[in-house]
Amino acid sequence: MIYLYLYYNPYKMMLELPNTAENITLIQDFLDETRRRIFEGVEITFTSKANSELQDLVLDFEIEIEDIEEAIENLTTENYYRGIDPSNSADFNVCAFCTKIGKSNVEIYLKYGLEVSGLQILLFSNHLPKYPMAQPFKI
């Protein structure tokens, strides 16, 4: 179970957790819970925004839904970028990652959430980064 301490963030920017053993464990737990849900058959749901972004990736890089799903399943703590933050309505714990996907090995910003009181995995964003993405847990 992932426990999240909620922080008030007036700027609506995702928080970057400092590189500590406790935070790495927190992100690993998030990734493990994601894999557990996928293993148990939970499908990844795309928001309309994420679906639109996927269409751009399909056209520009021949990225498919399966590439996104595979990228999520293969994330590590080194891919961590920002989060774990509550969604706007606090019904999802949300994390962002930087990862490479598809045959072209294109780098994308990937943000998804795990439903707090359910099993849903909701993809919020999957697009080319608009700016360089620091990965604070990367060795």
Side-chain angles (χ1 to χ4, degrees), residues 37-71:
R37 291 181 188 194
I38 291 170
F39 178 76
E40 291 179 357
V42 176
E43 292 187 19
I44 300 166
T45 304
F46 286 62
T47 63
S48 58
K49 175 185 176 290
N51 193 47
S52 175
E53 292 168 346
L54 177 61
Q55 296 312 311
D56 292 340
L57 292 172
V58 168
L59 292 173
D60 295 341
F61 302 101
E62 298 180 15
I63 301 298
E64 301 292 336
I65 289 176
E66 294 80 18
D67 294 315
I68 300 294
E69 292 171 348
E70 183 179 328

Side-chain angles (χ1 to χ4, degrees), residues 30-47 50 68-69 72-73 75 91-95 97 110-116 118-124:
F30 183 88
L31 295 172
D32 291 345
E33 176 63 16
T34 302
R35 287 185 192 96
R36 184 189 68 75
R37 291 181 188 194
I38 291 170
F39 178 76
E40 291 179 357
V42 176
E43 292 187 19
I44 300 166
T45 304
F46 286 62
T47 63
I68 300 294
E69 292 171 348
I72 289 173
E73 290 178 26
L75 289 172
D91 52 348
F92 285 86
N93 291 327
V94 181
C95 239
F97 299 89
L110 185 64
K111 181 171 83 171
Y112 72 93
L114 298 177
E115 191 173 24
V116 174
L119 296 175
Q120 187 177 15
I121 303 168
L122 184 61
L123 189 72
F124 293 98

